[in-house]
Amino acid sequence: MSKLPLNHRHTWGGSENAALRTLANQNTPTRVMGLKLGRTPVAVQAQAAKLGVSLAPSNQSPYNRRRS
């Protein structure tokens, strides 16, 4: 069985929500966010959805469209 994260089953605080928003704005991968916040990637995704924060990378064009 794997080791549980530091904040397992603890509620999200205001500073953690702010950190989540900051990391999402910096296009940080979900797995890295989880490591920095002491949460699982699934918990990060769930909290982002609850807050209305998009985790989609803003620097990639959709459908592999490239301008030439």
Side-chain angles (χ1 to χ4, degrees):
M1 190 162 137
S2 65
K3 191 170 126 180
L4 296 174
L6 295 173
N7 294 323
H8 181 69
R9 294 206 179 248
H10 291 150
T11 58
W12 287 74
S15 61
E16 288 179 312
N17 288 335
L20 175 66
R21 285 188 174 103
T22 302
L23 291 169
N25 287 337
Q26 296 172 349
N27 292 326
T28 307
T30 308
R31 176 129 173 91
V32 175
M33 284 187 211
L35 291 172
K36 288 186 177 189
L37 296 172
R39 306 280 182 164
T40 63
V42 174
V44 171
Q45 291 171 348
Q47 186 67 12
K50 185 177 176 183
L51 296 174
V53 175
S54 174
L55 296 178
S58 61
N59 59 353
Q60 293 180 350
S61 63
Y63 310 111
N64 293 328
R65 294 181 186 165
R66 294 183 183 166
R67 292 183 180 176
S68 29

